[in-house]
């Protein structure tokens, strides 16, 4: 699943292990469990921390750094959506804006300009939708998830 979300498999495995177990792990135990290099674990943990979905935790008397995944699924959703927007949508919108400016000055490029404008409108709509979703609180997101889930009733309000 990690690759379909645009992240490498080790990062996906690290996050899945931290999230599913709900436990604090040190880097060495993660390395041993996943059978990957120290550098790979370190690099991917830094990336997950950068995304805001994993954090370092410290326990008194524990010398090694421990890592914990964010446990609230809606906080994860908002952080991942925000990061994907920053890394993918925003740069794409900038390229389309630049292309639109260039194509407006080009004679005979009306058809291309219309396609660029259509893409800009689509990304703009998706951007506005993502902004609204990221601004919603967890309960509203859970309610929306249930609504979009085809009317299935869930007993746990934290999941759609």
């Amino acid at each position: 699943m990690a690759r379909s979300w645009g992240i490498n498999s080790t990062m996906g495995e690290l996050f899945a292990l931290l999230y599913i177990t709900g436990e604090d792990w040190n880097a060495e135990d993660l390395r041993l469990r996943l059978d990957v290099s120290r550098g790979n674990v370190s690099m991917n943990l830094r990336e997950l921390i950068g995304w805001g979905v994993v954090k370092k935790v410290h326990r008194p008397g524990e010398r090694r750094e421990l890592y914990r995944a964010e446990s609230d699924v809606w906080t994860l959703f908002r952080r991942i959506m925000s990061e994907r927007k920053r890394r993918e949508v925003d740069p794409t919108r900038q390229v389309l804006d630049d292309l639109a400016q260039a194509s407006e000055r080009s004679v005979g490029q009306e058809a291309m300009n219309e396609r660029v404008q259509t893409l800009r409108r689509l990304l703009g709509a998706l951007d506005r939708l993502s902004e609204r979703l990221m601004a919603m609180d967890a309960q509203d997101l859970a309610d929306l998830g249930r609504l979009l889930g085809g009317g299935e009733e869930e007993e746990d309000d934290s999941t759609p």
Side-chain angles (χ1 to χ4, degrees):
M1 190 170 134
R3 289 182 195 242
S4 65
W5 281 53
I7 62 173
N8 71 61
S9 59
T10 301
M11 186 184 299
E13 290 172 355
L14 278 169
F15 179 75
L17 184 58
L18 290 166
Y19 179 78
I20 295 299
T21 63
E23 298 174 3
D24 299 341
W25 289 72
N26 65 53
E28 182 63 13
D29 289 343
L30 289 166
R31 183 191 78 75
L32 292 170
R33 176 70 181 262
L34 298 176
D35 193 28
V36 295
S37 72
R38 282 183 179 86
N40 201 354
V41 168
S42 177
M43 176 183 66
N44 283 292
L45 283 171
R46 274 194 309 274
E47 188 74 12
L48 289 166
I49 290 167
W51 280 62
V53 297
V54 168
K55 64 182 174 184
K56 289 181 186 180
V57 292
H58 299 281
R59 282 194 208 139
E62 178 74 41
R63 290 184 59 216
R64 293 192 266 183
E65 291 180 326
L66 299 170
Y67 299 90
R68 177 184 302 159
E70 170 62 52
S71 60
D72 180 67
V73 69
W74 297 112
T75 299
L76 287 170
F77 171 78
R78 284 191 294 270
R79 287 182 182 162
I80 291 168
M81 181 176 277
S82 176
E83 191 66 18
R84 298 293 297 259
K85 177 187 176 313
R86 184 183 73 78
R87 291 175 181 230
E88 297 163 25
V89 175
D90 293 347
T92 302
R93 287 189 76 189
Q94 184 61 55
V95 168
L96 289 173
D97 290 347
D98 294 346
L99 185 56
Q101 286 181 346
S103 68
E104 287 172 357
R105 295 187 298 265
S106 300
V107 177
Q109 298 296 322
E110 292 80 15
M112 181 182 77
N113 190 39
E114 181 55 37
R115 288 190 295 275
V116 169
Q117 294 303 333
T118 300
L119 285 172
R120 289 176 74 205
R121 286 190 296 273
L122 173 65
L123 281 180
L126 291 173
D127 193 25
R128 289 185 300 278
L129 175 62
S130 71
E131 291 291 337
R132 288 184 178 176
L133 288 171
M134 288 185 288
M136 294 174 78
D137 67 29
Q139 183 59 52
D140 288 342
L141 283 169
D143 291 344
L144 179 61
R146 277 191 293 282
L147 177 68
L148 296 174
E152 296 175 14
E153 291 297 319
E154 297 284 336
E155 291 184 28
D156 181 359
D157 285 340
S158 66
T159 58

